[in-house]
Amino acid sequence: MPGTGALPPRMFQLPHRAVRLTRRARRSLPAWPVLPALSALLALLALATLSVLWPAAPRAFAADPPGGKAAGASAAARPALTVTVVSPSPVSWPQTVAANGSIFAWQEASVGSETPGWRIAEVRAQVGDSVRRGQVLAVFATELAEADLAQQRAALAEAEALLAEATTNANRARELQPSGVLSAQQTQQLLTVERTAAARLEAQRAALAAQQLRLKQAQVLAPDSGIISARWATVGAVVQPGQELFRLIRQGRLEWRAEVTAADLALIKAGQAVRVSAVGAPPTGGRVRMVAPTVDAATRNGLVFVDLLPPGTGAARGAPAGARAGMFARGEFEVGNGQALTLPQTAVLQREGFSYVFKVGAEHKVQQIKVSVGRRLGDRIEITAGLEPAARVVAHGAGFLGDGDLVRVVEAAAAATAAPGKAASAAVPGKK
């Protein structure tokens, strides 16, 4: 309006094109209300990270105080364990030859039938039974045999009667021979009849004895004392001559047939003591009975026959407890005595299939050394290579040590007087 000094309203209005451009720019701008939410999320993440790192800060400062490198060096120089040391000791150990083999019966007896066509009426022995010599194992049906025996006895009685008659006639002919009543031919016929009747009587007696023997065979008897290892006899079966009905381990004796290499075969002699360990049975003693005169051309091994001894007996009679024919067994032949370098078994560590010991050096630092081991006897083990006799090795707690660790050595005398579990075993210094 003129006179008021104010600008007209149209001067404050933008052109139509400028208004349209402003609206387009406003639509292209991002959604500004989302920015406060993103800022809040970033702030929460920062607080969470600070809460995790803040408790470790005091420990980090405490772990590296002024002079921290010197303190770390002093801690590194502290001994790792307190140990006792031991040196290999030479001892006289029995020299043995190890071998593998199977257990067999010493001798087996086959029990069968001698009479054909007989039917089994009763079986009195089973597998595993201990039997005595002459014990009845099975019985055949004897009705037919008893009838044959009765018939044979009747035939014997008939033969005896005929012989008696022939003897009477022959005696009468001998009496009348001087008078000439009977001719010489008649007299000779009567004497021949007497001799024929006597022969028939002897034949009938032999037949009767055979029939009695056949009747005795109606019982299957054990030929020797032992253990029944197999049975084929069944009730009702009709057996054939020579058919096997039972198998018997004579006297219950077992033997171990060890396969020994040709190089060690010359060290084994008859009568040497043997220690045999069968799978699933307690160890038992044995004695070499015989060494085979030949060696297998394929395996280059020879057989050694060892009589297994029952516990508490010195004679090769019976079978040891738990041993069975057919079992696999390992054994050792005692061939003499020799010197062996030994260590306690606790001083030898097994790692990755090898044996190691920790040798203590001049500065009480241990060195892991690979060794070769041999026989074991009690709590001692033989060292065959890799360690000199004057070496000092860790006796206990080798499994807690590493190569180059510093240890504190306690003498064996002091360790013996200490409380069990402290000086004798590996102990961490400073632990109460």
Side-chain angles (χ1 to χ4, degrees):
M1 295 178 57
T4 61
L7 294 176
R10 298 183 59 91
M11 296 183 63
F12 294 96
Q13 295 180 358
L14 294 176
H16 179 70
R17 181 176 296 177
V19 171
R20 189 167 51 190
L21 288 176
T22 303
R23 290 176 180 174
R24 288 180 182 176
R26 188 177 301 167
R27 284 196 300 267
S28 64
L29 289 178
W32 292 109
V34 178
L35 290 179
L38 292 176
S39 301
L41 181 61
L42 291 177
L44 290 176
L45 290 176
L47 289 176
T49 304
L50 184 60
S51 64
V52 172
L53 296 180
W54 178 256
R59 290 196 298 268
F61 284 108
D64 192 15
K69 292 184 178 180
S74 62
R78 191 178 305 164
L81 294 175
T82 301
V83 298
T84 58
V85 295
V86 66
S87 297
S89 58
V91 296
S92 178
W93 270 11
Q95 294 181 351
T96 59
V97 174
N100 299 327
S102 300
I103 297 177
F104 293 86
W106 168 62
Q107 286 183 2
E108 284 188 316
S110 178
V111 185
S113 171
E114 301 179 10
T115 305
W118 281 29
R119 177 176 55 86
I120 299 177
E122 184 180 359
V123 177
R124 298 184 181 179
Q126 302 296 330
V127 175
D129 291 349
S130 296
V131 297
R132 301 181 305 276
R133 182 184 184 93
Q135 181 175 337
V136 178
L137 305 181
V139 178
F140 292 106
T142 60
E143 291 83 1
L144 182 61
E146 290 175 354
D148 292 341
L149 180 60
Q151 183 179 2
Q152 192 60 44
R153 284 173 178 168
L156 178 61
E158 181 181 2
E160 290 176 349
L162 292 176
L163 177 60
E165 181 182 1
T167 302
T168 302
N169 294 333
N171 291 336
R172 186 178 297 112
R174 292 187 187 94
E175 293 175 356
L176 297 176
Q177 185 177 6
S179 63
V181 176
L182 296 176
S183 64
Q185 183 179 0
Q186 290 176 338
T187 303
Q188 187 63 35
Q189 288 178 353
L190 293 174
L191 295 178
T192 302
V193 170
E194 180 188 20
R195 287 194 296 267
T196 303
R200 287 177 179 174
L201 178 61
E202 293 299 328
Q204 294 298 331
R205 286 175 178 173
L208 179 62
Q211 193 63 33
Q212 289 174 344
L213 179 61
R214 183 170 178 263
L215 188 60
K216 288 183 179 179
Q217 293 175 354
Q219 292 182 338
V220 180
L221 306 180
D224 196 359
S225 299
I227 300 175
I228 302 295
S229 60
R231 179 185 66 86
W232 292 276
T234 56
V235 176
V238 178
V239 300
Q240 300 301 321
Q243 180 179 346
E244 187 176 16
L245 300 178
F246 298 91
R247 186 168 294 173
L248 176 70
I249 300 177
R250 293 189 58 195
Q251 302 174 13
R253 290 173 56 179
L254 298 178
E255 67 179 12
W256 177 51
R257 299 178 187 176
E259 298 182 4
V260 182
T261 60
D264 297 331
L265 206 61
L267 302 175
I268 300 175
K269 308 295 181 183
Q272 288 179 342
V274 186
R275 192 68 176 171
V276 181
S277 298
V279 177
T284 183
R287 195 165 301 278
V288 177
R289 186 179 80 252
M290 182 183 64
V291 180
T294 59
V295 175
D296 192 309
T299 61
R300 307 301 178 186
N301 293 333
L303 287 180
V304 178
F305 298 88
V306 178
D307 286 328
L308 298 181
L309 307 179
T313 62
R317 297 289 179 180
R324 299 288 186 272
M327 295 178 66
F328 176 80
R330 296 183 176 90
E332 292 183 346
F333 298 85
E334 298 180 5
V335 297
N337 292 326
Q339 293 292 323
L341 201 65
T342 65
L343 279 174
Q345 293 193 28
T346 55
V348 181
L349 182 65
Q350 301 292 329
R351 286 181 177 175
E352 299 179 355
F354 298 98
S355 300
Y356 297 92
V357 297
F358 282 91
K359 178 181 176 182
V360 180
E363 299 180 357
H364 289 187
K365 287 186 177 181
V366 295
Q367 179 185 1
Q368 181 175 294
I369 298 177
K370 182 180 178 181
V371 295
S372 300
V373 298
R375 298 166 291 173
R376 301 171 186 264
L377 185 62
D379 62 344
R380 308 288 295 184
I381 184 171
E382 180 184 12
I383 305 297
T384 58
L387 192 65
E388 61 274 9
R392 303 170 66 205
V393 299
V394 176
H396 299 277
F400 300 98
L401 295 175
D403 193 13
D405 285 350
L406 183 66
V407 297
R408 184 166 66 91
V409 177
V410 176
E411 297 299 330
T417 58
K422 292 184 178 181
S425 61
V428 179
K431 253 189 176 182
K432 300 296 183 181

